[in-house]
Amino acid sequence: MASKRPEVKQLTPVQAQQLLAVLEARFAQHPHRHPGLDWADVRARLEAQPDRLWSLSEMERAGGEPDAVTLAGEAGITFCDCSRETPTGRRSLCYDDAALDVRKEAKPAGSALGLAAAMGVDLLREARYRALQQLEPLDTKTSSWLLTPADIRALGGALFGDYRYGHVFVYHNGAQSYYAARAFRA
């Protein structure tokens, strides 16, 4: 029996061009997010990695408004969700599948880590979330699950962040909790 090949997640050429047009317009509209980056270079790198384009299309589809960003302390091109509030297409999820399995009643539709894996993306770590918030305030009315250190998760907790009162706050909740105003940023 032949082994099953992993599914290749790619956009059609038309879908890729449509997404690149959306990303280019966003890139031009928000130059403060990526000083020193040139769209032609960003585009060439994206076109060379069709799997990344597919993941960006999933971020866009879920309302994340991905954009190329230059984050403090990091080199290279990073794409992050830059929607003002946490992406609407990823809300009401508990933290991970283990937390989802623990819930006996009122289970959410899924988990943040599960959906992120299906999209081919990672949740933001606390440091990256704070760096993203330096570019412009995000999550002023919502919150976003953050990639949680293993020791905190082993005790049943998970981290989330938001922006209130001119500051970035990082808090904790039980990993099985979920809220209509909490999703995740990739």
Side-chain angles (χ1 to χ4, degrees), residues 2 11 13 16 19 36 39 49 68 70-71 83 85-86 89-90 95 99 104 117-118 127 146 148 183:
L11 301 177
L19 177 62
W39 173 250
Q49 300 179 50
T70 303
L71 298 177
S83 56
E85 301 301 335
T86 196
R90 301 183 217 153
Y95 179 72
K104 300 299 178 207
L146 302 175
T148 300

Side-chain angles (χ1 to χ4, degrees), residues 2-158:
S3 64
K4 189 174 182 181
R5 290 178 45 185
E7 179 185 347
V8 177
K9 297 177 179 178
Q10 278 188 308
L11 301 177
T12 67
V14 170
Q15 291 170 324
Q17 292 308 311
Q18 290 171 339
L19 177 62
L20 287 167
V22 168
L23 295 175
E24 181 177 14
R26 189 172 293 131
F27 185 91
Q29 189 176 10
H30 301 282
H32 64 282
R33 294 178 181 163
H34 38 258
L37 290 184
D38 177 64
W39 173 250
D41 184 41
V42 172
R43 182 183 179 117
R45 290 180 188 208
L46 287 173
E47 289 177 330
Q49 300 179 50
D51 59 322
R52 296 289 86 205
L53 268 181
W54 182 85
S55 292
L56 286 169
S57 75
E58 289 297 290
M59 291 168 69
E60 183 70 24
R61 183 186 56 74
E65 301 177 20
D67 196 4
V69 296
T70 303
L71 298 177
E74 293 190 21
I77 300 171
T78 302
F79 271 85
C80 288
D81 290 307
C82 292
S83 56
R84 276 289 195 216
E85 301 301 335
T86 196
T88 56
R90 301 183 217 153
R91 294 185 184 177
S92 297
L93 303 171
C94 62
Y95 179 72
D96 60 15
D97 288 344
L100 183 62
D101 291 343
V102 169
R103 288 197 71 98
K104 300 299 178 207
E105 297 178 17
K107 281 191 173 209
S111 74
L113 285 184
L115 182 55
M119 294 170 61
V121 299
D122 297 315
L123 272 66
L124 295 181
R125 294 180 185 278
E126 179 181 351
R128 194 170 259 189
Y129 184 77
R130 289 181 182 280
L132 181 63
Q133 291 281 11
Q134 289 178 358
L135 300 176
E136 61 193 59
L138 306 171
D139 292 336
T140 61
K141 298 175 187 158
T142 58
S143 61
S144 292
W145 285 117
L146 302 175
L147 194 59
T148 300
D151 59 334
I152 295 172
R153 183 60 194 98
L155 296 171

